[in-house]
Amino acid sequence: MNTLKEQQALSNDDLVLYGEHFSSRLLLGTSRYPSPQILEEAVVASKPAMITVSLRRQGATGQSENAFWDLLKKMAVPVLPNTAGCHSPQEVITTAQMAREVFETNWIKLELIGDDYTLQPDTLRLVDTAKTLINDGFKVLPYCTEDLILCQRLVDVGCQAVMPWAAPIGTGQGPLNPFAMKLLRERLQVPLLVDAGLGLPSHACAVMEWGFDGVLLNTAVALADHPIAMAKAFSLATQAGRTAYLSGAMPAQESAQASTPLVGKPFWHQS
Amino acid sequence: MRVMINQIEHQLPQGAKLENALALIQAQPPFAVAINLQFIPKSNYSQCTLADNDQIEVISPVTGG
């Protein structure tokens, strides 16, 4: 066990983002659940560090603004507003400012969409937008790709955590580029949260085993046959992966190595 | 004068304030407002004078991922 892992294992192992401590490493989206009650029970079952929320024109979604607002207050879990659907830096900045007023939080999940089909972030404009938000006092969690240089630039402008996707939003495909994701973990020192593309608890467990600091997911839980049970499964998988990472996995071997001692073996294998 | 509130056309008298527009649509809190893609803090609603063809967005919390 190296020094860093030893220190983390000996501490209470909170997730620390922008100096704030969170006892959970799971962030959960609030969209697409069969009902508000199931959303609430999924949150109770999984105990996420934060739940993601958004903003839309009043009356445009058919959702009851007051009902959702009342549910948020009842659940009493820190909220992470997003800038989903924004296609320009100005849209992002205005939406973030509106979110700060409505939700009374400086946290923002920065989404700047560059392609409507894949929902791939506009990586060329993401960094400057993040910098503008940070200069405006936001605690920015940028949704980005797994590109090392992009993530490094986000850190350079002040992002104290970055959130690379595992796969396109809502696909549930799991990590499509393990090489790049492991490289990110190796090269960057800030917390890394995998955002988007996870479909199974085993996906969450895998990225946590690689040393990622947390996962953010929504669709994999909301669209499961039993969202409450799936939320619990993701919570356990995230914890399992984290514990495995801190435990230090054995190196893989090319050939079999007996685990049972050879000394004192019984007579039937003696020559 | 003509203003667009959440992409729907409305008529308001010249010199109308943002708070008049919000009253017109009976905006339900919690919400936040932007005019022509610029955020307007709550504290400015009564001072903010609207102009012809202003695009007003009134947004509220919804579920999100």
Side-chain angles (χ1 to χ4, degrees), chain A residues 49-83:
Chain A
M50 288 191 265
I51 51 176
T52 54
V53 293
S54 197
L55 290 166
R56 287 292 179 270
R57 291 188 184 110
Q58 241 184 42
T61 63
Q63 294 183 19
S64 167
E65 289 90 6
N66 283 335
F68 182 57
W69 186 248
D70 291 343
L71 180 59
L72 287 179
K73 286 191 288 188
K74 181 182 174 190
M75 290 190 291
V77 177
V79 295
L80 175 62
N82 69 27
T83 61

Side-chain angles (χ1 to χ4, degrees), chain A residues 28 37 72 92 106-107 125 136 150 186 193 201 211 225 231 236:
Chain A
L28 192 64
Q37 290 72 28
L72 287 179
V92 164
N106 284 329
W107 291 93
R125 297 194 289 180
D136 194 16
L150 168 66
E186 182 185 326
L193 312 176
D225 287 344
L236 293 170

Side-chain angles (χ1 to χ4, degrees), chain A residues 30 56-58 82 94 101, chain B residues 28-29 37 42 57 60 64-65:
Chain A
T30 57
R56 287 292 179 270
R57 291 188 184 110
Q58 241 184 42
N82 69 27
T94 302
E101 184 175 76
Chain B
Q28 299 297 310
L37 259 182
K42 205 169 294 235
E57 299 280 0
S60 290

Side-chain angles (χ1 to χ4, degrees), chain A residues 169-193:
Chain A
I169 292 173
T171 61
Q173 295 193 45
L176 296 179
N177 194 347
F179 169 80
M181 296 182 74
K182 291 176 184 176
L183 182 64
L184 272 184
R185 179 63 293 169
E186 182 185 326
R187 296 288 296 278
L188 299 185
Q189 302 305 310
V190 299
L192 298 172
L193 312 176

Side-chain angles (χ1 to χ4, degrees), chain A residues 1-21:
Chain A
M1 188 181 288
N2 67 29
T3 303
L4 173 62
K5 288 180 181 177
E6 197 167 24
Q7 287 172 350
Q8 289 169 327
L10 289 173
S11 73
N12 58 12
D13 195 37
D14 281 353
L15 171 64
V16 182
L17 302 171
Y18 288 90
E20 289 195 29
H21 288 243

Side-chain angles (χ1 to χ4, degrees), chain B residues 28-50:
Chain B
Q28 299 297 310
F31 62 82
V33 179
I35 300 177
N36 304 327
L37 259 182
Q38 296 296 319
F39 167 62
I40 308 295
K42 205 169 294 235
S43 55
N44 286 5
Y45 291 170
S46 57
Q47 289 88 44
C48 179
T49 304
L50 299 175

